[in-house]
Amino acid sequence: GAVVSQHPSWVICKSGTSVKIECRSLDFQATTMFWYRQFPKQSLMLMATSNEGSKATYEQGVEKDKFLINHASLTLSTLTVTSAHPEDSSFYICSVSRASGLSGELFFGEGSRLTVL
Amino acid sequence: GENVEQHPSTLSVQEGDSAVIKCTYSDSASNYFPWYKQELGKRPQLIIDIRSNVGEKKDQRIAVTLNKTAKHFSLHITETQPEDSAVYFCAASMDTGRRALTFGSGTRLQVQP
C-alpha cells in the first residue's frame, strides 16, 4: 500500500493566487520530509528539507518566502506556493525517509502537477 | 554538495538486448546509490539500490555495480522488454534519514519490440 500520500494530484490556478500541497506519511513518523520539483523532461531537483517542529532548510535559489513549508506534525508537511506565476508550473513531489539509520530509501508521494494560468 | 552525472540521456535498444546506464558522483562521503524508474506523470519507483559496502547487487534482470574508487555506478538491465521503457534516474546520498538524494539527469530508455 501507499507509504506517502500527496494531495492534490493536480491543480490549475490563476496567476497571483496561492496553492497548498499536502504530503502525508502513512506508515511511519517522519521527522524529515523532502520537497522536490520536476520540470518537464528534467530531473528531480531538491527544493527544501522539511523538519518537524523547526524551520525548513531551503536549497540555493529557492525562495523561502515564495515556497512556504510547514511541518507541524510527524506525519504531515505542506508546501504553499504563494503568488504563483506561470513559471512555477511544475510537478512537485514530496518524499519521506525512514528514521535515521541504515535505511536511506526515499518513499515518494504521487506528485502534484501545478499549472498556473 | 553532491553532483551526479548520468549518461546517456536517451537509449534505444531492441527487445531482448541489454541496456546499461552509467552515473558518476562527486562526494566521496556518499554511500547510498538507488536507481528509480519513472513513467510519464508518475512518481519515481525504486527498482534497485546499493550501498558502498558492496560492489554489485542483482535482482532478476536488473543489476547495479559500484566502483567507489572511481566514484561511478551503473545500472544493467538484461533481456529488456517493452514495459522497461521509461525514464531512469540514478541518485546518491549519505545513508541517513536526514540526507536528501541528489539525482542524475535521467535516461530515457526505449525498448523497441
Side-chain angles (χ1 to χ4, degrees), chain A residues 12-54:
Chain A
I12 302 173
C13 70
K14 292 182 178 180
S15 185
T17 59
S18 295
V19 174
K20 180 185 284 188
I21 301 169
E22 293 186 348
C23 179
R24 293 183 183 274
S25 176
L26 302 178
D27 284 2
F28 51 86
Q29 295 180 333
T31 56
T32 303
M33 294 185 181
F34 305 102
W35 286 95
Y36 288 85
R37 179 168 54 182
Q38 186 177 32
F39 291 108
K41 297 185 178 182
Q42 294 189 23
S43 186
L44 289 85
M45 299 301 295
L46 180 67
M47 297 177 66
T49 300
S50 172
N51 303 300
E52 188 268 336
S54 64

mmCIF file of all heavy atoms in Angstrom, chain A residues 12-54:
data_model
loop_
_atom_site.group_PDB
_atom_site.id
_atom_site.type_symbol
_atom_site.label_atom_id
_atom_site.label_comp_id
_atom_site.label_asym_id
_atom_site.label_seq_id
_atom_site.Cartn_x
_atom_site.Cartn_y
_atom_site.Cartn_z
ATOM 1 N N ILE A 12 -4.973 23.548 -11.085
ATOM 2 C CA ILE A 12 -4.855 24.656 -12.026
ATOM 3 C C ILE A 12 -5.280 25.920 -11.287
ATOM 4 O O ILE A 12 -6.340 25.936 -10.653
ATOM 5 C CB ILE A 12 -5.728 24.447 -13.272
ATOM 6 C CG1 ILE A 12 -5.333 23.138 -13.968
ATOM 7 C CG2 ILE A 12 -5.606 25.627 -14.222
ATOM 8 C CD1 ILE A 12 -6.261 22.754 -15.114
ATOM 9 N N CYS A 13 -4.477 26.943 -11.358
ATOM 10 C CA CYS A 13 -4.819 28.174 -10.642
ATOM 11 C C CYS A 13 -4.476 29.389 -11.492
ATOM 12 O O CYS A 13 -3.721 29.300 -12.463
ATOM 13 C CB CYS A 13 -4.095 28.237 -9.298
ATOM 14 S SG CYS A 13 -2.327 28.493 -9.434
ATOM 15 N N LYS A 14 -5.023 30.490 -11.086
ATOM 16 C CA LYS A 14 -4.737 31.737 -11.781
ATOM 17 C C LYS A 14 -3.466 32.366 -11.234
ATOM 18 O O LYS A 14 -3.111 32.187 -10.057
ATOM 19 C CB LYS A 14 -5.900 32.715 -11.615
ATOM 20 C CG LYS A 14 -7.176 32.289 -12.320
ATOM 21 C CD LYS A 14 -8.261 33.345 -12.134
ATOM 22 C CE LYS A 14 -9.539 32.956 -12.872
ATOM 23 N NZ LYS A 14 -10.612 33.982 -12.693
ATOM 24 N N SER A 15 -2.792 33.104 -12.075
ATOM 25 C CA SER A 15 -1.580 33.798 -11.661
ATOM 26 C C SER A 15 -1.890 34.729 -10.496
ATOM 27 O O SER A 15 -2.899 35.433 -10.490
ATOM 28 C CB SER A 15 -1.021 34.581 -12.844
ATOM 29 O OG SER A 15 0.204 35.174 -12.516
ATOM 30 N N GLY A 16 -1.038 34.697 -9.486
ATOM 31 C CA GLY A 16 -1.212 35.551 -8.326
ATOM 32 C C GLY A 16 -1.863 34.881 -7.136
ATOM 33 O O GLY A 16 -1.831 35.419 -6.023
ATOM 34 N N THR A 17 -2.448 33.733 -7.355
ATOM 35 C CA THR A 17 -3.088 33.024 -6.242
ATOM 36 C C THR A 17 -2.085 32.100 -5.561
ATOM 37 O O THR A 17 -0.984 31.878 -6.058
ATOM 38 C CB THR A 17 -4.292 32.205 -6.728
ATOM 39 O OG1 THR A 17 -3.848 31.252 -7.703
ATOM 40 C CG2 THR A 17 -5.332 33.121 -7.362
ATOM 41 N N SER A 18 -2.492 31.558 -4.416
ATOM 42 C CA SER A 18 -1.634 30.645 -3.660
ATOM 43 C C SER A 18 -2.210 29.235 -3.704
ATOM 44 O O SER A 18 -3.421 29.043 -3.748
ATOM 45 C CB SER A 18 -1.496 31.107 -2.209
ATOM 46 O OG SER A 18 -0.830 32.352 -2.149
ATOM 47 N N VAL A 19 -1.340 28.266 -3.683
ATOM 48 C CA VAL A 19 -1.744 26.873 -3.755
ATOM 49 C C VAL A 19 -1.038 26.088 -2.657
ATOM 50 O O VAL A 19 0.168 26.228 -2.477
ATOM 51 C CB VAL A 19 -1.376 26.260 -5.126
ATOM 52 C CG1 VAL A 19 -1.661 24.763 -5.151
ATOM 53 C CG2 VAL A 19 -2.123 26.978 -6.237
ATOM 54 N N LYS A 20 -1.796 25.270 -1.933
ATOM 55 C CA LYS A 20 -1.221 24.445 -0.869
ATOM 56 C C LYS A 20 -1.218 22.990 -1.293
ATOM 57 O O LYS A 20 -2.231 22.454 -1.745
ATOM 58 C CB LYS A 20 -1.997 24.606 0.426
ATOM 59 C CG LYS A 20 -1.428 23.764 1.576
ATOM 60 C CD LYS A 20 -2.266 23.833 2.835
ATOM 61 C CE LYS A 20 -2.086 25.128 3.565
ATOM 62 N NZ LYS A 20 -2.757 25.119 4.883
ATOM 63 N N ILE A 21 -0.083 22.327 -1.087
ATOM 64 C CA ILE A 21 0.065 20.903 -1.378
ATOM 65 C C ILE A 21 0.391 20.184 -0.074
ATOM 66 O O ILE A 21 1.258 20.621 0.678
ATOM 67 C CB ILE A 21 1.190 20.672 -2.407
ATOM 68 C CG1 ILE A 21 0.889 21.421 -3.702
ATOM 69 C CG2 ILE A 21 1.362 19.174 -2.682
ATOM 70 C CD1 ILE A 21 2.064 21.453 -4.671
ATOM 71 N N GLU A 22 -0.313 19.094 0.169
ATOM 72 C CA GLU A 22 -0.108 18.330 1.403
ATOM 73 C C GLU A 22 0.636 17.034 1.126
ATOM 74 O O GLU A 22 0.407 16.366 0.117
ATOM 75 C CB GLU A 22 -1.448 18.002 2.060
ATOM 76 C CG GLU A 22 -2.204 19.188 2.595
ATOM 77 C CD GLU A 22 -3.446 18.777 3.357
ATOM 78 O OE1 GLU A 22 -3.837 17.594 3.282
ATOM 79 O OE2 GLU A 22 -4.024 19.642 4.042
ATOM 80 N N CYS A 23 1.476 16.657 2.061
ATOM 81 C CA CYS A 23 2.220 15.408 1.980
ATOM 82 C C CYS A 23 2.089 14.689 3.313
ATOM 83 O O CYS A 23 2.470 15.237 4.349
ATOM 84 C CB CYS A 23 3.688 15.693 1.672
ATOM 85 S SG CYS A 23 4.736 14.233 1.580
ATOM 86 N N ARG A 24 1.542 13.488 3.266
ATOM 87 C CA ARG A 24 1.320 12.729 4.494
ATOM 88 C C ARG A 24 2.102 11.424 4.480
ATOM 89 O O ARG A 24 2.066 10.683 3.492
ATOM 90 C CB ARG A 24 -0.167 12.402 4.675
ATOM 91 C CG ARG A 24 -1.035 13.615 4.918
ATOM 92 C CD ARG A 24 -2.484 13.225 5.160
ATOM 93 N NE ARG A 24 -3.313 14.424 5.311
ATOM 94 C CZ ARG A 24 -3.488 15.058 6.462
ATOM 95 N NH1 ARG A 24 -2.905 14.601 7.562
ATOM 96 N NH2 ARG A 24 -4.238 16.136 6.523
ATOM 97 N N SER A 25 2.787 11.163 5.568
ATOM 98 C CA SER A 25 3.452 9.894 5.751
ATOM 99 C C SER A 25 2.463 8.953 6.424
ATOM 100 O O SER A 25 2.000 9.217 7.524
ATOM 101 C CB SER A 25 4.702 10.080 6.624
ATOM 102 O OG SER A 25 5.309 8.840 6.874
ATOM 103 N N LEU A 26 2.123 7.867 5.766
ATOM 104 C CA LEU A 26 1.040 7.000 6.237
ATOM 105 C C LEU A 26 1.525 5.861 7.139
ATOM 106 O O LEU A 26 0.793 5.403 8.009
ATOM 107 C CB LEU A 26 0.299 6.415 5.043
ATOM 108 C CG LEU A 26 -0.318 7.421 4.067
ATOM 109 C CD1 LEU A 26 -0.987 6.683 2.912
ATOM 110 C CD2 LEU A 26 -1.299 8.335 4.776
ATOM 111 N N ASP A 27 2.733 5.405 6.916
ATOM 112 C CA ASP A 27 3.178 4.192 7.603
ATOM 113 C C ASP A 27 4.125 4.421 8.767
ATOM 114 O O ASP A 27 4.307 3.522 9.585
ATOM 115 C CB ASP A 27 3.860 3.259 6.592
ATOM 116 C CG ASP A 27 2.847 2.551 5.719
ATOM 117 O OD1 ASP A 27 1.640 2.825 5.883
ATOM 118 O OD2 ASP A 27 3.246 1.728 4.892
ATOM 119 N N PHE A 28 4.745 5.601 8.808
ATOM 120 C CA PHE A 28 5.683 5.836 9.896
ATOM 121 C C PHE A 28 5.823 7.331 10.139
ATOM 122 O O PHE A 28 5.484 8.146 9.300
ATOM 123 C CB PHE A 28 7.054 5.214 9.588
ATOM 124 C CG PHE A 28 7.619 5.590 8.244
ATOM 125 C CD1 PHE A 28 8.362 6.749 8.080
ATOM 126 C CD2 PHE A 28 7.411 4.777 7.143
ATOM 127 C CE1 PHE A 28 8.877 7.090 6.850
ATOM 128 C CE2 PHE A 28 7.929 5.104 5.911
ATOM 129 C CZ PHE A 28 8.656 6.269 5.759
ATOM 130 N N GLN A 29 6.302 7.645 11.302
ATOM 131 C CA GLN A 29 6.520 9.043 11.637
ATOM 132 C C GLN A 29 7.771 9.544 10.932
ATOM 133 O O GLN A 29 8.778 8.846 10.860
ATOM 134 C CB GLN A 29 6.651 9.201 13.152
ATOM 135 C CG GLN A 29 5.370 8.857 13.899
ATOM 136 C CD GLN A 29 5.512 9.017 15.400
ATOM 137 O OE1 GLN A 29 6.603 8.894 15.928
ATOM 138 N NE2 GLN A 29 4.421 9.309 16.075
ATOM 139 N N ALA A 30 7.670 10.734 10.415
ATOM 140 C CA ALA A 30 8.762 11.284 9.620
ATOM 141 C C ALA A 30 9.197 12.626 10.197
ATOM 142 O O ALA A 30 8.488 13.617 10.079
ATOM 143 C CB ALA A 30 8.336 11.451 8.171
ATOM 144 N N THR A 31 10.357 12.641 10.799
ATOM 145 C CA THR A 31 10.860 13.913 11.287
ATOM 146 C C THR A 31 11.382 14.769 10.136
ATOM 147 O O THR A 31 11.502 15.984 10.269
ATOM 148 C CB THR A 31 11.987 13.698 12.313
ATOM 149 O OG1 THR A 31 13.012 12.900 11.708
ATOM 150 C CG2 THR A 31 11.474 12.988 13.551
ATOM 151 N N THR A 32 11.687 14.120 9.043
ATOM 152 C CA THR A 32 12.218 14.842 7.888
ATOM 153 C C THR A 32 11.474 14.441 6.626
ATOM 154 O O THR A 32 11.278 13.255 6.367
ATOM 155 C CB THR A 32 13.715 14.539 7.699
ATOM 156 O OG1 THR A 32 14.435 14.885 8.892
ATOM 157 C CG2 THR A 32 14.288 15.335 6.538
ATOM 158 N N MET A 33 11.055 15.424 5.871
ATOM 159 C CA MET A 33 10.455 15.203 4.559
ATOM 160 C C MET A 33 11.176 16.106 3.561
ATOM 161 O O MET A 33 11.709 17.152 3.936
ATOM 162 C CB MET A 33 8.959 15.532 4.564
ATOM 163 C CG MET A 33 8.119 14.612 5.440
ATOM 164 S SD MET A 33 6.347 15.005 5.261
ATOM 165 C CE MET A 33 5.626 13.820 6.384
ATOM 166 N N PHE A 34 11.169 15.694 2.330
ATOM 167 C CA PHE A 34 11.856 16.452 1.290
ATOM 168 C C PHE A 34 10.863 16.861 0.204
ATOM 169 O O PHE A 34 9.980 16.090 -0.165
ATOM 170 C CB PHE A 34 12.972 15.613 0.664
ATOM 171 C CG PHE A 34 13.960 15.070 1.657
ATOM 172 C CD1 PHE A 34 13.901 13.747 2.068
ATOM 173 C CD2 PHE A 34 14.953 15.877 2.183
ATOM 174 C CE1 PHE A 34 14.809 13.240 2.987
ATOM 175 C CE2 PHE A 34 15.858 15.384 3.098
ATOM 176 C CZ PHE A 34 15.791 14.064 3.498
ATOM 177 N N TRP A 35 11.045 18.067 -0.300
ATOM 178 C CA TRP A 35 10.220 18.542 -1.399
ATOM 179 C C TRP A 35 11.091 18.712 -2.639
ATOM 180 O O TRP A 35 12.116 19.403 -2.606
ATOM 181 C CB TRP A 35 9.558 19.872 -1.039
ATOM 182 C CG TRP A 35 8.429 19.707 -0.071
ATOM 183 C CD1 TRP A 35 8.480 19.837 1.283
ATOM 184 C CD2 TRP A 35 7.078 19.357 -0.388
ATOM 185 N NE1 TRP A 35 7.245 19.586 1.838
ATOM 186 C CE2 TRP A 35 6.358 19.303 0.837
ATOM 187 C CE3 TRP A 35 6.387 19.098 -1.575
ATOM 188 C CZ2 TRP A 35 5.005 18.988 0.904
ATOM 189 C CZ3 TRP A 35 5.044 18.796 -1.509
ATOM 190 C CH2 TRP A 35 4.362 18.733 -0.279
ATOM 191 N N TYR A 36 10.643 18.063 -3.720
ATOM 192 C CA TYR A 36 11.339 18.139 -4.994
ATOM 193 C C TYR A 36 10.429 18.821 -6.020
ATOM 194 O O TYR A 36 9.209 18.791 -5.921
ATOM 195 C CB TYR A 36 11.706 16.742 -5.510
ATOM 196 C CG TYR A 36 12.824 16.061 -4.764
ATOM 197 C CD1 TYR A 36 12.566 15.325 -3.600
ATOM 198 C CD2 TYR A 36 14.136 16.123 -5.213
ATOM 199 C CE1 TYR A 36 13.600 14.686 -2.915
ATOM 200 C CE2 TYR A 36 15.167 15.479 -4.542
ATOM 201 C CZ TYR A 36 14.883 14.772 -3.395
ATOM 202 O OH TYR A 36 15.898 14.147 -2.727
ATOM 203 N N ARG A 37 11.065 19.361 -7.040
ATOM 204 C CA ARG A 37 10.339 19.948 -8.165
ATOM 205 C C ARG A 37 10.915 19.339 -9.437
ATOM 206 O O ARG A 37 12.139 19.157 -9.553
ATOM 207 C CB ARG A 37 10.517 21.469 -8.166
ATOM 208 C CG ARG A 37 9.822 22.188 -9.302
ATOM 209 C CD ARG A 37 9.816 23.695 -9.057
ATOM 210 N NE ARG A 37 11.124 24.239 -8.821
ATOM 211 C CZ ARG A 37 11.355 25.521 -8.546
ATOM 212 N NH1 ARG A 37 10.350 26.367 -8.465
ATOM 213 N NH2 ARG A 37 12.586 25.948 -8.344
ATOM 214 N N GLN A 38 10.026 19.033 -10.363
ATOM 215 C CA GLN A 38 10.466 18.429 -11.616
ATOM 216 C C GLN A 38 9.783 19.134 -12.781
ATOM 217 O O GLN A 38 8.566 19.027 -12.956
ATOM 218 C CB GLN A 38 10.144 16.929 -11.641
ATOM 219 C CG GLN A 38 10.696 16.200 -12.845
ATOM 220 C CD GLN A 38 10.421 14.700 -12.808
ATOM 221 O OE1 GLN A 38 9.415 14.251 -12.291
ATOM 222 N NE2 GLN A 38 11.340 13.921 -13.384
ATOM 223 N N PHE A 39 10.565 19.831 -13.589
ATOM 224 C CA PHE A 39 10.060 20.446 -14.801
ATOM 225 C C PHE A 39 10.021 19.388 -15.893
ATOM 226 O O PHE A 39 10.727 18.366 -15.819
ATOM 227 C CB PHE A 39 10.908 21.643 -15.194
ATOM 228 C CG PHE A 39 10.780 22.806 -14.246
ATOM 229 C CD1 PHE A 39 11.817 23.141 -13.390
ATOM 230 C CD2 PHE A 39 9.613 23.555 -14.198
ATOM 231 C CE1 PHE A 39 11.699 24.200 -12.497
ATOM 232 C CE2 PHE A 39 9.488 24.616 -13.305
ATOM 233 C CZ PHE A 39 10.527 24.937 -12.460
ATOM 234 N N PRO A 40 9.205 19.612 -16.935
ATOM 235 C CA PRO A 40 9.055 18.611 -17.994
ATOM 236 C C PRO A 40 10.392 18.162 -18.567
ATOM 237 O O PRO A 40 11.260 18.983 -18.875
ATOM 238 C CB PRO A 40 8.201 19.326 -19.034
ATOM 239 C CG PRO A 40 7.394 20.304 -18.249
ATOM 240 C CD PRO A 40 8.309 20.777 -17.159
ATOM 241 N N LYS A 41 10.553 16.866 -18.667
ATOM 242 C CA LYS A 41 11.734 16.230 -19.252
ATOM 243 C C LYS A 41 13.020 16.579 -18.504
ATOM 244 O O LYS A 41 14.106 16.537 -19.092
ATOM 245 C CB LYS A 41 11.866 16.592 -20.730
ATOM 246 C CG LYS A 41 10.707 16.084 -21.571
ATOM 247 C CD LYS A 41 10.931 16.341 -23.045
ATOM 248 C CE LYS A 41 9.771 15.779 -23.863
ATOM 249 N NZ LYS A 41 9.972 15.979 -25.318
ATOM 250 N N GLN A 42 12.885 16.925 -17.246
ATOM 251 C CA GLN A 42 14.067 17.215 -16.440
ATOM 252 C C GLN A 42 14.097 16.317 -15.207
ATOM 253 O O GLN A 42 13.178 15.529 -14.959
ATOM 254 C CB GLN A 42 14.094 18.688 -16.040
ATOM 255 C CG GLN A 42 14.271 19.627 -17.221
ATOM 256 C CD GLN A 42 14.518 21.056 -16.793
ATOM 257 O OE1 GLN A 42 14.971 21.325 -15.672
ATOM 258 N NE2 GLN A 42 14.243 21.988 -17.685
ATOM 259 N N SER A 43 15.158 16.456 -14.463
ATOM 260 C CA SER A 43 15.337 15.618 -13.290
ATOM 261 C C SER A 43 14.611 16.207 -12.078
ATOM 262 O O SER A 43 14.031 17.287 -12.140
ATOM 263 C CB SER A 43 16.827 15.486 -12.987
ATOM 264 O OG SER A 43 17.043 14.567 -11.942
ATOM 265 N N LEU A 44 14.650 15.476 -10.990
ATOM 266 C CA LEU A 44 14.074 15.964 -9.745
ATOM 267 C C LEU A 44 15.106 16.853 -9.049
ATOM 268 O O LEU A 44 16.243 16.424 -8.810
ATOM 269 C CB LEU A 44 13.716 14.803 -8.821
ATOM 270 C CG LEU A 44 12.533 13.937 -9.239
ATOM 271 C CD1 LEU A 44 12.958 12.862 -10.216
ATOM 272 C CD2 LEU A 44 11.876 13.304 -8.019
ATOM 273 N N MET A 45 14.683 18.044 -8.723
ATOM 274 C CA MET A 45 15.576 18.982 -8.063
ATOM 275 C C MET A 45 15.058 19.245 -6.654
ATOM 276 O O MET A 45 13.898 19.611 -6.466
ATOM 277 C CB MET A 45 15.659 20.287 -8.841
ATOM 278 C CG MET A 45 16.189 20.131 -10.255
ATOM 279 S SD MET A 45 17.850 19.416 -10.310
ATOM 280 C CE MET A 45 18.779 20.713 -9.508
ATOM 281 N N LEU A 46 15.930 19.078 -5.678
ATOM 282 C CA LEU A 46 15.541 19.302 -4.300
ATOM 283 C C LEU A 46 15.260 20.782 -4.072
ATOM 284 O O LEU A 46 16.082 21.631 -4.421
ATOM 285 C CB LEU A 46 16.647 18.829 -3.353
ATOM 286 C CG LEU A 46 16.387 18.997 -1.860
ATOM 287 C CD1 LEU A 46 15.249 18.083 -1.417
ATOM 288 C CD2 LEU A 46 17.648 18.696 -1.060
ATOM 289 N N MET A 47 14.094 21.061 -3.494
ATOM 290 C CA MET A 47 13.757 22.440 -3.170
ATOM 291 C C MET A 47 14.100 22.748 -1.712
ATOM 292 O O MET A 47 14.695 23.767 -1.400
ATOM 293 C CB MET A 47 12.263 22.685 -3.372
ATOM 294 C CG MET A 47 11.771 22.521 -4.777
ATOM 295 S SD MET A 47 9.995 22.737 -4.864
ATOM 296 C CE MET A 47 9.831 24.470 -4.420
ATOM 297 N N ALA A 48 13.668 21.843 -0.836
ATOM 298 C CA ALA A 48 13.820 22.123 0.590
ATOM 299 C C ALA A 48 13.678 20.844 1.393
ATOM 300 O O ALA A 48 13.089 19.860 0.941
ATOM 301 C CB ALA A 48 12.784 23.141 1.043
ATOM 302 N N THR A 49 14.240 20.898 2.567
ATOM 303 C CA THR A 49 14.124 19.810 3.535
ATOM 304 C C THR A 49 13.217 20.308 4.651
ATOM 305 O O THR A 49 13.498 21.348 5.271
ATOM 306 C CB THR A 49 15.492 19.423 4.094
ATOM 307 O OG1 THR A 49 16.323 19.004 3.005
ATOM 308 C CG2 THR A 49 15.370 18.297 5.097
ATOM 309 N N SER A 50 12.178 19.557 4.887
ATOM 310 C CA SER A 50 11.173 19.945 5.864
ATOM 311 C C SER A 50 11.437 19.213 7.169
ATOM 312 O O SER A 50 11.469 17.992 7.206
ATOM 313 C CB SER A 50 9.785 19.575 5.312
ATOM 314 O OG SER A 50 8.779 19.751 6.281
ATOM 315 N N ASN A 51 11.637 19.971 8.237
ATOM 316 C CA ASN A 51 11.961 19.383 9.535
ATOM 317 C C ASN A 51 10.812 19.608 10.506
ATOM 318 O O ASN A 51 10.373 20.745 10.707
ATOM 319 C CB ASN A 51 13.231 20.026 10.094
ATOM 320 C CG ASN A 51 14.406 19.880 9.143
ATOM 321 O OD1 ASN A 51 14.797 18.768 8.824
ATOM 322 N ND2 ASN A 51 14.941 20.993 8.689
ATOM 323 N N GLU A 52 10.346 18.551 11.110
ATOM 324 C CA GLU A 52 9.228 18.638 12.039
ATOM 325 C C GLU A 52 9.580 19.530 13.227
ATOM 326 O O GLU A 52 10.609 19.347 13.866
ATOM 327 C CB GLU A 52 8.841 17.231 12.524
ATOM 328 C CG GLU A 52 7.572 17.191 13.350
ATOM 329 C CD GLU A 52 7.846 17.324 14.838
ATOM 330 O OE1 GLU A 52 8.957 16.994 15.267
ATOM 331 O OE2 GLU A 52 6.929 17.736 15.576
ATOM 332 N N GLY A 53 8.735 20.511 13.449
ATOM 333 C CA GLY A 53 8.896 21.389 14.597
ATOM 334 C C GLY A 53 9.934 22.481 14.446
ATOM 335 O O GLY A 53 10.188 23.232 15.393
ATOM 336 N N SER A 54 10.523 22.595 13.277
ATOM 337 C CA SER A 54 11.505 23.661 13.075
ATOM 338 C C SER A 54 11.408 24.182 11.648
ATOM 339 O O SER A 54 10.631 23.675 10.839
ATOM 340 C CB SER A 54 12.921 23.153 13.363
ATOM 341 O OG SER A 54 13.278 22.139 12.453
#
